[in-house]
Each structure stands twice: as structure tokens, then as C-alpha cells.
């Protein structure tokens, strides 16, 4: 799937108006066969499905984070706040993350400097020294997605549910995505807010979807 801005304002009821399915899109060709990653060495890899991310992490001797680990890391030691960077959307009048400004999905004003994926470290790190925990690209977690999991999960270090269930698509296996992306807008997808959750079918990918690896401390 490739995000494609519309020529004019449209209803938010049909996401297929701004998502185009392009055969041949991949991590090497994130916007379709005619695109490339030349000159994008410092950008996060995108067009990665859950299976891709898990396989790479295993090959690298690492793993994907649990959703609870991701949330702890994104908080950066801070108490609960509206956004992971604090309670103010634009601290000091500056955008602290790569998200969508303007009229979604037809006109991105690029107030944060980017209309698309931003290079890693374009914005300040959080108190744990982690970059881009908000915005830029969604990140896969190891957890299956269930909307009711945290109502009865273990209080300490929950590892995620044993299976997946999305009442909107009961027969589809999904995993959790966190952090939002460069197309999260205060008009439509406000998932750069702290605690917001995303979800994705296990083999799905898009040009706003990537991952990060973690490793256990021995």
C-alpha cells in the first residue's frame, strides 16, 4: 500500500481514496517499482510486514519489542502525558515529530519540514536517547492485537495475548503497531498521542510502516 495524496478534500469514510495498492512495492521500492531507496540510507526502512520484521530481527540476533516494552521506551521515564514529549503539541512553537499538518489527505503544509518519511534523528531524542518514537513511521510490536487485552493483562511486563482478535475483522490475524506516522493528522489519525494503538494484518505493508529491534540485557 502506498499513501497517495488526493487532488482535493475528500470524505474520511473511504481510506481507499488515499491508499493505492501497487504491485511491486517493497522495501527497495517503497512507492512502487519505479521508486528506489537511492539516497535514503538514513531513512527508516518501510514497506515491511510483520513477518519481514520478525524474520530480520531473528537474523540480527534480536527481536521485536512487546507493546508494553515499546510504551515504556516511548515514555522515556516521564509520567503520563497527552503526548510522549509532554502536554503541549508544539513545545516552543516547534513540531517535535514528523506528523501531518494541513488539510488531510490533499495538502500537507510541511510545517515540520517533511511531507514524507524523515531521516532518523531529524528530531530530538527522548530522555532515554531514543529517536522517532512518535510519528515518522509506524512500528511493529510482537504482540497479537486484541482491543481488550489490557483489561485483564498481567500488571508487570505483559507479553501480549495468545491470539489475535479484531471485532472489525474477526477472521484476520493482526499484530500491534505503535507510534503513528508521517500521515497521522489531528483531523484524521491522531495516533501520535500517548497510548494510541495501531493494528495491522500480519502480511500487510505500507510506505509509512517499519519497525525497530530490541535485545535483552544479559
Amino acid at each position: 500500500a502506498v499513501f497517495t495524496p488526493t487532488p482535493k478534500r475528500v470524505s474520511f469514510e473511504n481510506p481507499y481514496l488515499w491508499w493505492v495498492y501497487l504491485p511491486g512495492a517493497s522495501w527497495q521500492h517503497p512507492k512502487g517499482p519505479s521508486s528506489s531507496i537511492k539516497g535514503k540510507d538514513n531513512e527508516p526502512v518501510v514497506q515491511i510486514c510483520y513477518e519481514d520484521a520478525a524474520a530480520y530481527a531473528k537474523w540480527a540476533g534480536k527481536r521485536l519489542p512487546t507493546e508494553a516494552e515499546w510504551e515504556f521506551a516511548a515514555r522515556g521515564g516521564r509520567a503520563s502525558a497527552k503526548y510522549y514529549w509532554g502536554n503541549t503539541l508544539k513545545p516552543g512553537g516547534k513540531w517535535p515529530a514528523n506528523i501531518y499538518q494541513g488539510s488531510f489527505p490533499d495538502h500537507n503544509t510541511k510545517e515540520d519540514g517533511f511531507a514524507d518519511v524523515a531521516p532518523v534523528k531529524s528530531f530530538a531524542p527522548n530522555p532515554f536517547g531514543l529517536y522517532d518514537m512518535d510519528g515518522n513511521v509506524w512500528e511493529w510490536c510482537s504482540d497479537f492485537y486484541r482491543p481488550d487485552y489490557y483489561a485483564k493483562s498481567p500488571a508487570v511486563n505483559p507479553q501480549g495475548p495468545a491470539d489475535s482478535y479484531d471485532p472489525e475483522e474477526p477472521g484476520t490475524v493482526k499484530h500491534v503497531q505503535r507510534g503513528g506516522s508521517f500521515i497521522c493528522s489531528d483531523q484524521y489519525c491522531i495516533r501520535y498521542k500517548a497510548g494510541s494503538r495501531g493494528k495491522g494484518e500480519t502480511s500487510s505493508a505500507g510506505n509509512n510502516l517499519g519497525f525497530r529491534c530490541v535485545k535483552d540485557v544479559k
Side-chain angles (χ1 to χ4, degrees), residues 114-187:
F114 302 95
D116 207 317
V117 178
V120 174
K121 298 185 179 182
S122 294
F123 298 86
N126 75 3
F128 286 169
L130 300 172
Y131 291 87
D132 301 317
M133 296 299 290
D134 293 279
N136 215 20
V137 301
W138 283 100
E139 299 177 6
W140 286 109
C141 294
S142 63
D143 299 38
F144 284 116
Y145 174 79
R146 290 189 72 100
D148 58 351
Y149 175 64
Y150 291 105
K152 53 182 181 296
S153 67
V156 178
N157 197 23
Q159 297 295 298
D163 56 9
S164 165
Y165 177 72
D166 181 357
E168 296 180 355
E169 295 181 290
T172 302
V173 177
K174 296 185 179 182
H175 280 80
V176 173
Q177 301 165 351
R178 295 298 305 267
S181 77
F182 66 87
I183 65 171
C184 278
S185 162
D186 59 2
Q187 296 177 337

Side-chain angles (χ1 to χ4, degrees), residues 3-19 103-106 187-188:
F3 172 70
T4 305
T6 58
K8 60 181 181 180
R9 297 197 72 171
V10 296
S11 168
F12 294 155
E13 294 181 0
N14 183 13
Y16 292 105
L17 293 174
W18 57 86
W19 282 110
S103 172
F104 184 88
D106 59 298
Q187 296 177 337
Y188 178 65

